[in-house]
Amino acid sequence: MFETPKDHLRNIDRSTAKSAEHLRGIKDSAASTARSAAQNTELLKGIAFTSGASMVFNGITAANSARMARTQEQQFALQQEQHALQQAMAEQTARHEFSMWRQTPEGEAFVDWQRRAAVLIPFLRNRERVWNAVWADAIRRAQGEVPPDERRRFTSHPARLRQTGFKVASLVSFALSGLFALMMLLQIMSGALSESLEQSAGRDRLTYAECLEILDDPDNFIMNEADCEAINPNPSGPIIRRAVPMVLFAGLGVTFLVMRRTRQRAAKADPTVENEAAARVATWGFDPLTTRGAWYAWHESQGFIGYPDRIEHMVHSGPSQRPQPSQLIPLQVPTPRTPSPRLPDEVNRALTSFQQENESFAP
């Protein structure tokens, strides 16, 4: 069925009435909620006031802390931004000044020097690596040719000179001797103290001294030696028993010291290790058991030690320091050492190769 205009208006009126009833229900619920809130407010006025004051104070503190934190963050960010900006400006200024300076005769001389130095530095670094590598190979080869007995004598020689075992044994012996001496001293002091206390107490108890006087009396027939020893405050037995190990350990300590000095003198007087070291040097031109790297630099002049490092430093610092042509480090390849029959074959081959390279660079 089709809905007529009248029916449509009638339905709208019914919907409007329902909406009005729903709004009245919402208003009644809101009024009830407001009344309940008002009652709760009256009941909790004191708590609300106290809590409210605390909340206000805490809120102010938190707001101040947050404001201070934000201010510090903003200041730190501003400082970072200013530093970055200043650094960028300084770099830009340095680049600009260097670009202007490199157009001058001094700048052109430095740029040309820098270009040639950039080629020379890795070349010299490579020679250093080759030099160290050939020495390492020569040392390993020579070490493999040293007899095992000779290596063992060389390795154990420092221990023979130190003789640590006898040193530790002597220290332990002296410590034990001192311990027994201390115990004996404490026993003697304890006996003397107890005897003194007995005498000062004035008791009727017979003392050891009085017992000895009675024994010396010819008319004595009551006391005997066993009775006196029973009250002896310092019996000889325990003291002697402690004195024996004290003397024994002290003697052991002295014995170990004497043995240590004897072994040390024998090790120092034994020329075997020194003779073998001299023979190794005569055979290979160096001692493979003591050498840990190249004996010397590959070039003859000592003035070239650290030469690549000085060049590299000027390459990096030149744009900011702008050196004069007279201040530039002269660029040259050092003259290699001359091969020698006393040097290992690996080292001589490397020196020969260096000399041939230098000759090929000569104009």
Side-chain angles (χ1 to χ4, degrees), residues 67-80:
R67 189 180 300 108
M68 292 175 62
R70 285 195 300 271
T71 302
Q72 291 178 354
E73 291 178 358
Q74 292 173 358
Q75 291 178 351
F76 181 69
L78 180 60
Q79 291 176 356
Q80 286 186 324

Side-chain angles (χ1 to χ4, degrees), residues 49-94:
F49 175 79
T50 304
S51 301
S54 177
M55 289 174 62
V56 170
F57 177 77
N58 292 337
I60 294 173
T61 303
N64 291 335
S65 300
R67 189 180 300 108
M68 292 175 62
R70 285 195 300 271
T71 302
Q72 291 178 354
E73 291 178 358
Q74 292 173 358
Q75 291 178 351
F76 181 69
L78 180 60
Q79 291 176 356
Q80 286 186 324
E81 184 177 356
Q82 290 176 347
H83 178 71
L85 181 59
Q86 292 174 356
Q87 186 175 3
M89 292 175 61
E91 293 176 355
Q92 183 178 4
T93 302

Side-chain angles (χ1 to χ4, degrees), residues 103-122:
Q103 299 176 14
T104 64
E106 294 80 5
E108 292 178 354
F110 173 76
V111 172
D112 179 68
W113 178 91
Q114 190 181 46
R115 177 178 55 80
R116 291 182 289 115
V119 178
L120 179 61
I121 292 173

Side-chain angles (χ1 to χ4, degrees), residues 235-311:
S236 60
I239 294 178
I240 294 177
R241 285 198 299 269
R242 286 181 173 82
V244 170
M246 177 191 71
V247 175
L248 176 61
F249 282 115
L252 284 176
V254 174
T255 303
F256 289 140
L257 281 180
V258 173
M259 294 179 64
R260 179 171 183 258
R261 296 296 174 84
T262 303
R263 295 287 185 87
Q264 286 178 327
R265 284 195 297 266
K268 292 179 181 179
D270 186 4
T272 303
V273 175
E274 295 182 0
N275 293 340
E276 290 175 346
R280 290 193 296 269
V281 174
T283 301
W284 293 289
F286 64 97
D287 188 351
L289 298 184
T290 58
T291 304
R292 295 294 178 266
W295 273 18
Y296 36 73
W298 59 270
H299 41 75
E300 293 181 349
S301 176
Q302 298 298 316
F304 286 101
I305 296 177
Y307 180 59
D309 296 332
R310 295 196 299 270
I311 297 176

Side-chain angles (χ1 to χ4, degrees), residues 129-179:
R129 287 191 294 268
V130 172
W131 182 249
N132 293 328
V134 296
W135 268 102
D137 293 340
I139 292 171
R140 282 194 297 268
R141 178 178 59 81
Q143 287 176 347
E145 297 176 6
V146 177
D149 293 342
E150 186 174 338
R151 288 200 301 268
R152 185 176 62 255
R153 283 190 293 271
F154 173 79
T155 305
S156 61
H157 187 63
R160 291 180 60 197
L161 294 176
R162 289 192 299 267
Q163 294 294 330
T164 306
F166 284 113
K167 180 180 179 181
V168 173
S170 64
L171 292 176
V172 173
S173 298
F174 285 130
L176 292 175
S177 176
L179 178 62

